[in-house]
Amino acid sequence: MTKPLKIIFAGTPDFAAKHLQALIDSPHQVIATFCPPDKPAGRGKKLTACATKTLALSHEIPVYQPKNFKDVADQETLKQLNADVMVVVAYGLLLPKVILDAPRLGCINVHGSLLPKWRGAAPIQRSLEAGDPETGVTIMQMDEGLDTGDMILKSNCLILASDTSASLYEKLADLGPKALIDTLALMASGDYPRVPQRNSEATYAAKLDKAEAEIDWQLAANKIDLKLRAFTPWPGSYFQFLEQADKLHTIKVHQVGVIKKDTSEYQPGEIISSDKQGILVATGENALLIQTLQLPGKKAMAVQDVLNSRADWFKVGNLITGKSCQ
């Protein structure tokens, strides 16, 4: 690196704040931080600052919170900062061309996938759901498309069978800042790669929807397991159990194991066995052993504890597939 860069940072959640901290600790100068307006949070709906704003203010970095960049005044404010580069991490706003072109070296983004795979809002969860063997972060030069810009640097990590979106999030939150600092060193030298993405290899990581988290017992057990890990901690996988004709319970599943078993004689969603080892449920292929679950209004508990009070819900032969439980 020949000369430290003047950087504008734009981001919102804790994942972004980890990258901002790395920039603060680097030789570069963070001259401003952009984040969305404060939002109501908690029971009292008190306006609350995001993690990035809180960190920036603690280091006396100026903070700007435009609703979007359609207002010319907001565009001019950013231009007049005369930054070398703008670093964008989980900002949540689309940037118009006038903003992308404002810094001397443009805008770069830290994206939580190995582009062009999993462009979009939920790359960590979708990579898990798909059963990918690895993921990582990509530092790219931003353009007007959705995660379509030229790639500057990639950093890979394996996806383990024990990973959830929460643990994978933490892995990428460690990889990303290191990759970002390495990228900025290349940019400061004036000689850095820009590799175009192959659009033909692109996949899209759609935003999560709560409805997706309801377990479909028609799927193979390993597919259900992948979805469960992808949707942990949010929105959390669940099934519905009809206790009586008019009493439908939503039960969250926290920990499972995939059991190889011929389930052709069972219906998907039928309980094969129920004991302190877990609740074994037939699926479209093999079986799923539920080890930890959460009853309505309760905390997550081991199956052994659940059966002490609700063994009648999980009798062998019961169906746990919503209204088909009758």
Side-chain angles (χ1 to χ4, degrees):
M1 184 174 70
T2 56
K3 183 179 179 182
L5 299 173
K6 292 193 300 178
I7 296 171
I8 296 171
F9 185 83
T12 306
D14 181 64
F15 184 80
K18 290 179 184 295
H19 291 75
L20 176 57
Q21 184 64 62
L23 293 175
I24 292 170
D25 295 338
S26 76
H28 303 290
Q29 180 187 6
V30 182
I31 59 174
T33 293
F34 283 74
C35 61
D38 296 353
K39 293 182 179 180
R43 291 185 178 181
K45 298 298 181 182
K46 181 180 178 181
L47 285 178
T48 304
C50 66
T52 303
K53 178 181 178 179
T54 301
L55 177 61
L57 292 178
S58 71
H59 288 273
E60 299 183 343
I61 299 170
V63 174
Y64 301 89
Q65 296 178 270
K67 185 176 180 180
N68 52 51
F69 279 105
K70 295 180 180 179
D71 193 315
V72 174
D74 292 327
Q75 296 173 5
E76 288 301 317
T77 295
L78 189 144
K79 285 181 183 178
Q80 290 173 12
L81 292 169
N82 294 317
D84 291 310
V85 65
M86 181 170 174
V87 173
V88 181
V89 185
Y91 185 27
L93 290 180
L94 290 176
L95 303 182
K97 192 173 189 302
V98 64
I99 296 299
L100 296 174
D101 294 341
R104 179 174 64 86
L105 297 172
C107 300
I108 61 172
N109 175 248
V110 181
H111 185 74
S113 79
L114 300 175
L115 291 171
K117 199 167 189 180
W118 304 124
R119 296 171 177 173
I124 295 174
Q125 294 90 338
R126 298 305 179 188
S127 63
L128 264 171
E129 183 185 16
D132 291 347
E134 67 172 354
T135 186
V137 294
T138 304
I139 315 295
M140 66 172 178
Q141 189 85 43
M142 296 177 70
D143 61 16
E144 292 181 89
L146 178 64
D147 302 325
T148 56
D150 292 348
M151 301 176 292
I152 302 173
L153 187 147
K154 287 185 178 183
S155 184
N156 300 36
C157 75
L158 294 176
I159 298 178
L160 304 179
S162 58
D163 274 324
T164 65
S165 63
S167 64
L168 204 51
Y169 177 100
E170 291 301 323
K171 288 183 182 181
L172 300 191
D174 182 54
L175 280 181
K178 296 174 184 176
L180 174 61
I181 297 302
D182 289 345
T183 298
L184 291 172
L186 292 172
M187 297 182 78
S189 72
D191 182 20
Y192 62 99
R194 291 185 55 167
V195 180
Q197 295 186 41
R198 294 181 180 178
N199 291 328
S200 61
E201 298 176 2
T203 55
Y204 178 62
K207 185 178 180 180
L208 298 186
D209 188 302
K210 285 185 179 180
E212 293 181 78
E214 181 170 9
I215 295 173
D216 179 359
W217 299 105
Q218 302 280 349
L219 297 175
N222 69 308
K223 295 293 184 183
I224 296 173
D225 176 55
L226 288 171
K227 283 179 173 287
L228 188 146
R229 292 193 287 122
F231 300 151
T232 298
W234 192 92
S237 293
Y238 66 93
F239 62 84
Q240 293 185 316
F241 176 77
L242 191 64
E243 182 186 10
Q244 299 170 353
D246 61 348
K247 199 165 186 180
L248 192 64
H249 299 282
T250 297
I251 301 171
K252 286 193 172 183
V253 179
H254 288 264
Q255 188 173 359
V256 301
V258 175
I259 305 298
K260 290 186 177 181
K261 182 178 179 63
D262 180 6
T263 57
S264 58
E265 62 181 287
Y266 302 97
Q267 297 182 58
E270 182 177 350
I271 295 177
I272 299 171
S273 66
S274 182
D275 54 38
K276 64 181 182 180
Q277 303 302 319
I279 300 166
L280 190 65
V281 185
T283 71
E285 182 182 328
N286 294 316
L288 206 68
L289 185 68
I290 301 174
Q291 299 160 324
T292 309
L293 50 73
Q294 183 176 359
L295 300 179
K298 305 291 184 180
K299 63 181 181 180
M301 294 185 287
V303 161
Q304 181 177 359
D305 297 324
V306 173
L307 294 179
N308 287 336
S309 60
R310 290 296 183 185
D312 56 316
W313 286 13
F314 304 106
K315 291 180 181 178
V316 172
N318 278 1
L319 288 171
I320 50 175
T321 54
K323 293 185 178 180
S324 64
C325 301
Q326 301 178 66

